[in-house]
Amino acid sequence: MSVRIVLGAQFGDEAKGKIADFLAASARHVVRSAGGPNTGHTIVLPEGPVVLHQLACGVLRHGVTGISGPGMVLQPFKLEEEIQGLKDRGLLRGEIVLSDRAHVLLPIHEVEDAWQDDLRARQRPEASLGTTKSGIGPAYADRASRFGIRLAELSRPAVLRERLELLYATKTHLAGLPSIDELAARLSEVGGRLAPFIRPTEPLLWDAIARGENVLLEGAQSALLDLDFGTYPYVTSSHPTSAGALVGSGIPPTELDSVVGVAKSYCTRVGAGPFPTEEAGERGEYLRRVGGERGATTGRPRRCGWLDLVLLRYVARLNGLTSLAITKVDVLGGLPEVPVAVAYRMPDGSTLRDGPPTHADELAAAEPVYEQRPGWPEFHERLKERIRREGAAALPAELRRYLAFIEDEVGVPVEYVGYGAHRDETVWLGPPGTRRRPVAIAAWNG
Ligand code: GDP
Ligand code: IMO
Ligand code: MG
């Protein structure tokens, strides 16, 4: 039995969906505990690519449950489309469960999200966050202010109506909202259609753990977009950390076995906010083109740059990472050298190694200190074939040295490597405990 968390260790889009899907092969339940329609997790199946937004990747596997957990904010109309899209393609193979405690993200939250980001931009162009405009901030704010509506309320028309009236009383600054009558009617209808999936999920998970079944918590967004520990205010409105995954699923910390942090072999960010290793010029364009770096939810081009070990050390410590999954190593294949940021030089002459400064503008002013690592060969089909046949032993020696370098610098073993977008293009390096370096999260802190 194990309870395992997979989470994003950079700024999102690290290929968490692909790694979670790989691990879901040995899980009985996969749980999303935060976020909502801002998420885009791509899994490339033999039938073609699937992008999941509000469903956990367990729904793609026979015998596995995909749980959208209590910590999520769910947009019910988009959710219904997502379910229908999978059904139409014959890809809905697992069971869908939606927590009755998850909050409802309403179309009025989408309007409010756009209104808020416009307001920021009008104040100062750099203040715009570049949110996904999917209503996340306002939905979580209403949850925290106790104006929210939960999935459980969709099947209680009188309560739903009362809650909507109260919520609308807080939205007098917004224009063009649907009438309460219209929204209440649409919500009751969609609630009726989703009702078979809605139930309490905490007892389901507690019983599963008691029976010895494997539970995987599929993180969305990323630790560096965490509301408290990310690059505030350029963050999302949930807690995409390991602690947040437990809060958002109702699983007690004492049940947790391992935490896998997923990081690309380089780094990307979509939306505004500091990104010290960003390559704004030709080199960034190269990474964007070869890595296919375009947002899975919004289609926006992602900002691209190099792996940042200062941020990764911080994330390792913050989340108690027990291992790393390093993805998209094929994208860097063929480069003579691969830059990696090992420290920051700050404007006052000081050096930072173990974590970012608190203020976003200070992080933006950090100058990365790079170490150039030797590159590895291109990932042509013959090499991929050998890795599929022989496993990790077939990874190029230079790449293995790059991975060992990350392990040494971060103090966390690399357990998985992603070398292509397809479902089967992930290789396991063996159990972390049996390799060269034991888990030693505090080691780098002196
Ligand atoms: P997530 O949000 O963390 O699940 O990541 P996204 O799905 O938003 O973005 C990851 C992108 O990289 C998707 O287009 C994946 O299909 C693709 N991808 C995942 N792993 C790999 C890999 O190892 N190599 C390459 N070349 N592409 C990958
Ligand atoms: P996955 O799960 C990348 C970013 C947005 C914006 C900030 C706030 O696919 O990795 P929000 O709409 O959440 O209020 O936007 O967070 N963001 C993501 N970036 N991947 C994501 O999800 C993201 N979810 C939110 O671009 O900068
Ligand atoms: Mg994504």
Side-chain angles (χ1 to χ4, degrees), residues 36 43 74 106 143 210 218 283 296 324 346 424-425:
I43 295 145
L74 296 171
L106 295 163
R143 182 181 83 150
E218 176 185 350
R283 301 211 296 177
L324 285 164
M346 301 306 292
D424 64 353
E425 290 176 330

Side-chain angles (χ1 to χ4, degrees), residues 11-14 16 38-41 113 129-134 136-137 220-221 225 235-236 270-272 300:
F11 295 105
D13 304 327
E14 300 89 347
K16 300 173 292 294
N38 51 346
T39 304
H41 289 178
D113 193 353
L129 305 183
T131 73
T132 60
K133 307 276 188 291
S134 46
I136 298 296
Q221 289 66 61
L225 295 176
V235 293
T236 190
V270 61
R300 290 181 289 180

